Amino acid sequence: MDTKTLKKETNKTQITERISGSEAIIKCLLAEGVDVLYGYPGGAIMPVYDELYKYQDKIHHVLTRHEQGATHSAQGYARISGKVGVAIATSGPGATNLITGIADAQIDSTPMVCITGQVASHLLGSDAFQETDIVGISTPVTKWNCQITKASEIPEVMAKAFYIAKSGRPGPVLIDITKDAQFEEFDFKYKKCKGVRSYNAIPKLNHNEVEAAAKLINEAKKPMIVWGQGVSLGQAETEFKAVVEKAGIPSAWTILGAGAIPTSHPLNIGMVGMHGNYAPNVLTNECDLLIAIGMRFDDRVTGNLSTYAKQAKVIHFEIDPAEIDKNVKTDVAVLGDAKESLAALLPLLDEKSYPEWHQNFKDLYAIEYEKVIKNDIHPTKEGLTMGEVLKEINSQTKGDAAIVTDVGQHQMIACRYANFNKTRSNITSGGLGTMGFGLPAAIGAKMAAPNREVISISGDGGYQMTIQELGTIFQQKVPVKIVVLNNEFLGMVRQWQQLFFDKRYASTEMTNPDFVAIAKGYFIEAEKVTKREDLKEAVAKMINTDGPYFLEVCVEKEDNVFPMIPTGASVSDVRLE
């Protein structure tokens, strides 16, 4: 056998080594490029933690203060980086505490792998201490899950988990590993997964559909684009911007789509949805062609489906066949990866500008500015508004910061008034609407993008749901900036109570602790602002501080977020007051 042949034969042979299942898990993570994971130890996962201790120089484990915090941190890490986030927990309550974050990742298409320990295989089904059927519990909220009972199953299952989590439309995967499988030794070798039988991650692009879409776009008189997170998930920002600019089409975004093209781009007409901008909501029901790209026609975007864009033809660019015609009937569906689909579309488009159609958006924006925006960012009232806080943060970060929000009024205000100059800059809980998401997600985002300014913005309600993660920030020395907009209410619920329940503020008024004292208890610099004249200096101090910083801003108690589409109303019935 010559040297060349010998080299080929050697390359074909994978080297095996006899190791424990728990060490195999660590080696699988390393093979997938994992350098940080978030978790909380316990009895059923202790063998893995014991091996993790030996690999501290290769994988950084972040001890969160709650397992839910681990999943949200893994989400923040994944959302800003595009990599797979990893969370790890023990059995029973440790595993069930992951469920909220897993469900959030599922509906927001976030790639995440969760690893849970489980009781020994001979105890399964016996109601052993801290035994919970986490596979059964997580099945509705995972892209895939699997229980491992033998160490030899670990490499193949782990490889499959990472492939499924990040391929096609991303999502969360859960792997449950019994304790005996963690101790058991076997001959380990690892091979990355490149495909799964019966799982078609990316549909093959049908060029006839692309041509049909281009024909409709070229013939349209009043086209409008609504794009979602699928553009950034597909890393298609460059192709998308080229399509928008060549076709000259006014383009609006869902909250998860923000940043694919900068907020300041002349063809960016703002946000659609319940608290979106006036013009794109109203004119959805006046366009003659609606082009949906990487979005799923969520009910918060469409309002009453029976009146949504009925006058328009609809083109849907989408990677997941299950989303086609699920909520809105399409005239042309282009299945495939956004990057490939938009690249194929671009050369088929005519160059256009639609000046009269664009003027309609400008006219309606002027109305919104006078009735809503001006009062939000240049208020005449004595108390601070959430809008002017966001305006000041924008001014001092020049729109380059990653904004990580919780859920509520502050979330909608942040989406409306933050400038997103870069992709993957609006990190928020979209579909599930998880209060408590913001603080731990900001930890993961900052660790994944240490050179970016990462600002967590929460309300006083959601902040207290995961406030314990200040301990993670302190221990890990994560230089994240934390802003709490404190109105002493569960603001979004209070707004609904005011508008639709005759101001019966049932269980929404908050009696809050001393937030500054709590932050300082975790050795985090902190300040409280109550007056407008102190805001600018306080934000500057926060931005210029090297380490983590907490800023509480007391805002008007009963400010509302407008525009607003009442539940069940048409998008064209959006209210400005």
Side-chain angles (χ1 to χ4, degrees):
M1 186 182 294
D2 60 29
T3 305
K4 192 173 182 180
T5 305
L6 180 62
K7 189 174 181 181
K8 282 183 179 179
E9 291 298 318
T10 303
N11 289 340
K12 286 180 182 177
T13 305
Q14 288 185 299
I15 299 172
T16 62
E17 53 182 329
R18 193 159 189 83
I19 58 175
S20 67
S22 52
E23 186 174 5
I25 292 166
I26 306 303
K27 286 185 174 291
C28 291
L29 293 175
L30 289 171
E32 292 293 342
V34 175
D35 55 4
V36 61
L37 67 158
Y38 302 88
Y40 206 97
I45 197 68
M46 207 174 295
V48 173
Y49 270 86
D50 186 57
E51 288 297 334
L52 194 58
Y53 182 81
K54 304 171 187 176
Y55 286 87
Q56 293 180 73
D57 59 330
K58 294 182 178 178
I59 296 184
H60 179 48
H61 177 270
V62 177
L63 175 63
T64 58
R65 295 307 186 262
H66 192 283
E67 292 89 353
Q68 182 181 342
T71 54
H72 293 329
S73 290
Q75 285 178 273
Y77 180 95
R79 291 274 289 274
I80 202 168
S81 68
K83 299 178 181 178
V84 177
V86 182
I88 184 170
T90 193
S91 63
T96 58
N97 282 343
L98 298 176
I99 292 296
T100 297
I102 293 172
D104 195 287
Q106 171 78 341
I107 202 164
D108 281 355
S109 303
T110 304
M112 181 166 67
V113 169
C114 292
I115 300 167
T116 54
Q118 184 56 274
V119 300
S121 55
H122 71 278
L123 293 173
L124 291 172
S126 70
D127 292 332
F129 177 66
Q130 290 193 333
E131 181 195 0
T132 301
D133 180 11
I134 195 60
V135 170
I137 291 170
S138 66
T139 294
V141 292
T142 49
K143 190 175 177 184
W144 182 65
N145 65 15
C146 183
Q147 185 176 77
I148 294 174
T149 59
K150 294 186 178 299
S152 59
E153 300 168 348
I154 290 171
E156 183 178 356
V157 171
M158 289 287 286
K160 188 175 177 181
F162 275 88
Y163 174 76
I164 291 174
K166 65 188 176 185
S167 61
R169 180 179 181 177
V173 171
L174 182 135
I175 305 302
D176 191 45
I177 307 176
T178 61
K179 197 166 184 179
D180 51 327
Q182 296 172 47
F183 280 120
E184 185 184 7
E185 290 190 347
F186 74 111
D187 293 327
F188 172 82
K189 60 181 178 180
Y190 192 76
K191 182 180 179 181
K192 283 194 176 186
C193 180
K194 295 182 179 178
V196 177
R197 184 178 171 185
S198 78
Y199 168 51
N200 184 20
I202 301 176
K204 185 177 180 181
L205 186 63
N206 183 330
H207 286 273
N208 290 333
E209 297 294 350
V210 177
E211 290 172 7
K215 185 175 187 296
L216 284 180
I217 293 170
N218 291 334
E219 292 174 351
K221 305 299 183 185
K222 296 192 292 184
M224 176 177 161
I225 289 173
V226 177
W227 88 84
Q229 189 186 199
V231 174
S232 57
L233 290 176
Q235 299 179 9
E237 293 90 346
T238 299
E239 291 78 7
F240 175 64
K241 183 170 179 282
V243 164
V244 168
E245 291 179 343
K246 184 177 182 182
I249 300 174
S251 302
W253 41 275
T254 69
I255 63 170
L256 295 185
I261 57 174
T263 304
S264 59
H265 194 285
L267 294 172
N268 186 333
I269 54 170
M271 180 172 74
V272 291
M274 180 171 282
H275 293 287
N277 293 101
Y278 188 53
N281 274 321
V282 169
L283 295 177
T284 294
N285 281 357
E286 293 185 24
C287 67
D288 62 359
L289 178 66
L290 184 63
I291 307 152
I293 303 175
M295 56 85 79
R296 58 187 180 84
F297 291 111
D298 175 73
D299 65 294
R300 286 294 174 99
V301 167
T302 65
N304 187 339
L305 279 170
S306 67
T307 62
Y308 182 76
K310 291 301 178 182
Q311 79 295 336
K313 291 186 180 297
V314 177
I315 301 171
H316 196 175
F317 288 83
E318 176 59 48
I319 198 169
D320 185 356
E323 295 296 342
I324 301 298
D325 295 335
K326 185 176 80 173
N327 294 325
V328 173
K329 178 68 177 174
T330 58
D331 294 276
V332 175
V334 182
L335 275 172
D337 172 72
K339 192 177 186 72
E340 182 186 6
S341 299
L342 295 175
L345 176 69
L346 182 62
L348 304 178
L349 296 177
D350 297 337
E351 291 191 27
K352 292 194 174 183
S353 59
Y354 309 101
E356 293 181 6
W357 177 228
H358 280 285
Q359 189 60 45
N360 290 348
F361 288 91
K362 292 174 183 176
D363 292 344
L364 292 182
Y365 175 81
I367 294 171
E368 181 183 352
Y369 184 86
E370 286 300 317
K371 287 184 173 289
V372 178
I373 297 171
K374 184 170 69 173
N375 298 323
D376 281 346
I377 63 175
H378 300 296
T380 55
K381 60 187 75 173
E382 182 179 344
L384 284 158
T385 66
M386 290 180 280
E388 64 182 312
V389 177
L390 263 296
K391 180 177 178 291
E392 188 59 48
I393 291 171
N394 272 340
S395 175
Q396 297 201 31
T397 62
K398 297 180 174 58
D400 291 333
I403 304 295
V404 187
T405 67
D406 223 278
V407 169
Q409 286 182 314
H410 68 278
Q411 176 193 31
M412 295 297 101
I413 289 291
C415 290
R416 284 178 53 79
Y417 295 119
N419 288 331
F420 301 112
N421 292 337
K422 298 179 179 178
T423 190
R424 298 183 180 271
S425 291
N426 186 30
I427 299 169
T428 191
S429 172
L432 198 64
T434 304
M435 293 177 69
F437 174 89
L439 186 62
I443 294 171
K446 183 62 179 178
M447 295 184 74
N451 295 325
R452 290 198 67 181
E453 189 71 78
V454 175
I455 301 176
S456 166
I457 298 178
S458 297
D460 47 311
Y463 177 64
Q464 292 181 80
M465 287 195 169
T466 49
I467 194 172
Q468 70 274 6
E469 298 308 330
L470 290 174
T472 307
I473 291 170
F474 166 58
Q475 183 172 349
Q476 298 292 325
K477 297 180 173 58
V478 185
V480 67
K481 307 300 162 58
I482 308 152
V483 178
V484 167
L485 302 179
N486 183 3
N487 58 11
E488 298 182 344
F489 266 109
L490 298 177
M492 188 61 82
V493 183
R494 183 212 54 76
Q495 177 169 335
W496 283 52
Q497 289 172 333
Q498 178 184 336
L499 298 176
F500 308 116
F501 293 89
D502 297 325
K503 294 188 177 181
R504 292 188 294 274
Y505 296 156
S507 303
T508 47
E509 191 163 6
M510 304 283 287
T511 301
N512 290 318
D514 186 336
F515 289 126
V516 169
I518 291 171
K520 288 184 175 179
Y522 285 101
F523 304 96
I524 295 171
E525 286 192 62
E527 185 178 356
K528 181 178 181 176
V529 171
T530 59
K531 297 178 181 178
R532 182 168 288 116
E533 56 266 29
D534 297 330
L535 179 63
K536 183 175 182 178
E537 184 179 345
V539 171
K541 185 177 179 182
M542 176 183 75
I543 298 299
N544 293 324
T545 297
D546 290 335
Y549 195 92
F550 172 83
L551 178 63
E552 176 187 0
V553 184
C554 296
V555 296
E556 285 279 324
K557 291 185 68 170
E558 295 188 51
D559 263 359
N560 290 329
V561 183
F562 287 105
M564 181 181 183
I565 302 170
T567 301
S570 169
V571 290
S572 53
D573 293 331
V574 57
R575 293 174 54 172
L576 291 174
E577 55 189 12

